[in-house]
Amino acid sequence: MRESLRFLLGDKLVEIDRCDPTLTVLDWLRLDQRMTGTKEGCAEGDCGACTVVVGRLDRGRMRYEAINACIRFLPTLDGCQLLTVEHLKGADGALHPVQQAMVECHGSQCGFCTPGFVMSLLALRLNEAEPGIGRIEDALAGNLCRCTGYEPIIAAGRRMDEIAPREADRFLLEREAVTTRLAALNDHETLVLQGDGGRFCAPATVEALAALVAVHPQATLVAGATDVGLWVTKAMRHLDPVIYLGRVEALRAITDEGNHLRFGAMAGHIDVRTALAELSPQLDELMRRFGGEQVRNAGTIGGNIANGSPIGDLPPALIALDATLVLARRAETGIARRSIPLESFFIEYRKQDRRPGEFAEAVLVPKLAQGMLFHASKVSKRFDEDISAVCGAFRLTLGSDGRISEARLAYGGMAGIPKRAAAAEAALVGQRWNETAVAAAVAALSQDFTPLDDMRASAHYRLKIAGNLLRRFLIETTQAQTQTRVAGLLAEAVHG
Ligand SMILES: Cc1cc2nc3c(=O)[nH]c(=O)nc-3n(C[C@H](O)[C@H](O)[C@H](O)COP(=O)(O)OP(=O)(O)OC[C@H]3O[C@@H](n4cnc5c(N)ncnc54)[C@H](O)[C@@H]3O)c2cc1C
Ligand code: FES
Ligand code: FES
């Protein structure tokens, strides 16, 4: 066991013996370190003003992630490097190429959002050579400019590598040395930190995690904290003890196991997107619109499921694909595992089938087989960085006679849990995939759902959309030339 938190702040080693489990990185920077370059806008992961870059080892290689400091807990930085806007200036006082590009392109009108934009661009530059405009827009979708000066900021993203070649970037030149220093910090001891506000535990193996959850079944499990962070900053909840899953490397793995993909519960959304894109381009689009890049860098597949939100985006897609959830707990002879269909995990609003001492270990997602049609759509008020009003994912299996032999229609935003539309599915099975079948299924949706009625959408609107998504599915599978997606139209508008 280790009782001190260790990470690099820039190139300086920080060791902390006492720390509250939910002290945010932002509060620590601004209030404790007096590093006020990183700003607070919303304190809920939405605006990007607080963006910092975290370098962490991923299977021995350095990976730089833009994250929201306002909802990230400081002790989760154990073994990482934290870079803030203060670290950009050169020893001679010269601006970093990202900053210089912002100046030259007139990308900064206020001091409030600018540090966040700069840090998002820095992460992009450190990870990718010559990003296209699509990637620059992706990387910046989690940053709000209240005066809408996006054009010059995107121009700065295009300019930064012209100002100074990426290979000559100080952070990349130092990468090997930092990797070595982080490798030395990444031990396999369980980190236990005590603070006035409670205890933070971070095991490094599945066995140590299972033992801790068995001893503290009431503990709050924390993965990416993109939900849990808001319980602290918005709901002012006191969480004690906290068990952090992020140091268990085995939980981050994504493996191809033949007819299915296996996602460790800590697989992050960026990697989940890459893997799911292999199954369907629509899953790629769904994940591209999942939060902003900062949220996708931190958030995990296990957190999206275990949170049990009725409007999470992955559960409908994974239920439609007939995914299995693997839950693990400590047993007398090691680890006991229980596999359940993902859909049965969601019992009722905010109530899931997770027993004391259990944690989500993995999700198994079958690949699409011959004769299967698949669809995933998200409808939200804003195109980027917004939670769904309705999310629909559908999988149909067509028999050799051209009739539907199996239908799995799953929706988010239509009930207190992500849920299948049993009556609509029954209306489809045995039918040919055509307008008549869709009309019957759309009519049956009102037996399946009494939708949520809230600020995101009215119940009437949700029911209407749920039917329209089925119609879109039919159009997309029968009229390939018809443009049905805003994403496609936007790409045409921007890129010609
Ligand atoms: C700005 C913003 C935008 C967002 N946009 C979207 C969006 O577009 N679509 C969407 O679906 N969601 C969105 N979210 C919500 C959130 O990002 C997701 O639900 C995310 O996947 C949560 O994952 P996490 O790793 O951050 O979970 P955490 O916040 O760490 O945990 C969430 C819950 O899961 C539990 N938990 C985590 N891991 C495990 C485990 N392995 N076993 C058991 N319990 C576990 C935690 O105890 C907690 O109850 C957004 C959030 C923010 C702040
Ligand atoms: S302060 Fe708005 S995202 Fe953190
Ligand atoms: S430049 Fe800061 S809000 Fe637009």
Side-chain angles (χ1 to χ4, degrees):
M1 187 170 89
R2 173 159 54 82
E3 293 182 308
S4 68
L5 163 67
R6 305 181 307 204
F7 64 93
L8 297 180
L9 176 61
D11 60 5
K12 192 177 90 187
L13 176 65
V14 175
E15 290 202 62
I16 298 176
D17 295 333
R18 284 188 67 79
C19 179
D20 280 355
T22 57
L23 173 67
T24 64
V25 173
L26 183 65
D27 279 353
W28 181 75
L29 283 172
R30 291 182 62 85
L31 305 178
D32 193 293
Q33 298 295 298
R34 297 288 163 190
M35 292 172 71
T36 52
T38 309
K39 306 298 183 216
E40 181 175 57
C42 62
E44 59 181 55
D46 258 314
C47 75
C50 65
T51 304
V52 294
V53 173
V54 170
R56 71 171 172 92
L57 291 186
D58 177 16
R59 285 156 290 177
R61 283 180 61 83
M62 194 72 177
R63 175 169 174 160
Y64 296 94
E65 297 175 329
I67 56 122
N68 295 309
C70 65
I71 51 171
R72 181 74 173 252
F73 302 140
L74 185 73
T76 68
L77 295 188
D78 189 65
C80 299
Q81 182 187 34
L82 173 62
L83 298 174
T84 72
V85 71
E86 283 90 349
H87 296 117
L88 295 188
K89 197 168 63 173
D92 58 356
L95 294 180
H96 184 274
V98 173
Q99 295 172 306
Q100 188 63 37
M102 285 286 275
V103 172
E104 290 184 17
C105 297
H106 305 285
S108 174
Q109 296 177 61
C110 82
F112 215 82
C113 67
T114 301
F117 274 105
V118 165
M119 296 311 285
S120 287
L121 287 176
L122 176 73
L124 180 65
R125 173 172 159 99
L126 297 186
N127 286 319
E128 289 171 46
E130 298 175 12
I133 186 162
R135 273 300 296 137
I136 295 172
E137 286 173 354
D138 265 11
L140 296 179
N143 293 81
L144 285 186
C145 166
R146 289 131 187 104
C147 46
T148 69
Y150 294 108
E151 279 295 330
I153 298 171
I154 292 168
R158 304 186 89 168
R159 174 97 180 96
M160 60 188 178
D161 289 353
E162 289 164 21
I163 288 181
R166 178 177 174 271
E167 305 73 54
D169 196 294
R170 176 163 46 92
F171 295 108
L172 291 180
L173 295 177
E174 291 166 0
R175 184 167 48 180
E176 288 310 312
V178 172
T179 303
T180 307
R181 291 180 74 190
L182 293 190
L185 296 183
N186 277 275
D187 58 22
H188 288 97
E189 296 291 330
T190 295
L191 169 65
V192 178
L193 265 184
Q194 191 63 48
D196 296 339
R199 178 179 291 202
F200 177 94
C201 308
T205 63
V206 174
E207 290 71 22
L209 169 62
L212 270 168
V213 183
V215 175
H216 303 288
Q218 82 294 357
T220 302
L221 303 188
V222 172
T226 59
D227 283 313
V228 175
L230 278 71
W231 303 353
V232 174
T233 60
K234 293 287 141 168
M236 305 297 169
R237 277 175 61 181
H238 177 75
L239 308 179
D240 175 33
V242 162
I243 300 178
Y244 176 55
L245 283 64
R247 291 183 65 234
V248 186
E249 196 150 338
L251 290 185
R252 291 190 187 268
I254 300 176
T255 45
D256 187 331
E257 306 200 335
N259 60 359
H260 67 266
L261 298 175
R262 183 183 191 281
F263 295 87
M266 276 300 298
H269 293 318
I270 296 276
D271 297 334
V272 170
R273 174 182 172 187
T274 308
L276 287 182
E278 296 287 316
L279 302 192
S280 157
Q282 296 185 3
L283 290 171
D284 184 42
E285 185 193 311
L286 186 74
M287 292 308 290
R288 193 189 83 70
R289 293 179 56 201
F290 193 119
E293 189 113 323
Q294 295 90 329
V295 167
R296 293 193 294 274
N297 275 328
T300 63
I301 189 170
N304 199 223
I305 291 169
N307 188 43
S309 164
I311 48 173
D313 284 335
L314 274 169
L318 299 178
I319 290 172
L321 288 165
D322 200 8
T324 297
L325 181 66
V326 182
L327 295 143
R329 66 177 168 81
R330 185 179 68 174
E332 275 176 23
T333 54
I335 306 278
R337 293 188 169 82
R338 182 166 71 94
S339 295
I340 57 171
L342 178 60
E343 60 185 296
S344 68
F345 180 66
F346 304 102
I347 299 171
E348 59 187 58
Y349 182 65
R350 297 284 180 197
K351 184 171 177 205
Q352 296 92 38
D353 178 13
R354 183 162 81 87
R355 300 174 187 164
E358 279 187 335
F359 56 92
E361 186 184 38
V363 192
L364 313 182
V365 182
K367 295 179 185 173
L368 292 169
Q370 195 74 25
M372 284 181 178
L373 302 176
F374 180 77
H375 177 97
S377 278
K378 163 173 176 168
V379 177
S380 53
K381 282 191 173 171
R382 227 173 24 185
F383 188 74
D384 281 315
E385 169 103 280
D386 202 1
I387 309 243
S388 298
V390 175
C391 180
F394 318 127
R395 192 186 77 179
L396 295 184
T397 309
L398 298 181
S400 51
D401 58 358
R403 292 182 186 274
I404 298 165
S405 59
E406 191 202 28
R408 298 182 65 89
L409 312 180
Y411 284 97
M414 295 294 291
I417 53 172
K419 190 166 168 277
R420 281 174 74 183
E425 290 176 357
L428 289 176
V429 171
Q431 308 301 315
R432 293 193 184 280
W433 180 226
N434 57 26
E435 280 180 22
T436 314
V438 168
V442 170
L445 283 173
S446 54
Q447 294 169 46
D448 285 315
F449 299 116
T450 309
L452 307 174
D453 198 318
D454 62 15
M455 62 9 182
R456 286 187 210 287
S458 67
H460 172 78
Y461 179 69
R462 284 192 155 103
L463 200 55
K464 186 86 181 155
I465 297 176
N468 284 350
L469 294 186
L470 272 178
R471 293 190 179 99
R472 178 194 262 181
F473 182 22
L474 179 69
I475 293 170
E476 288 182 346
T477 46
T478 54
Q479 303 170 31
Q481 71 290 356
T482 307
Q483 181 57 267
T484 55
R485 301 259 171 176
V486 176
L489 295 172
L490 279 181
E492 273 174 25
V494 173
H495 310 296

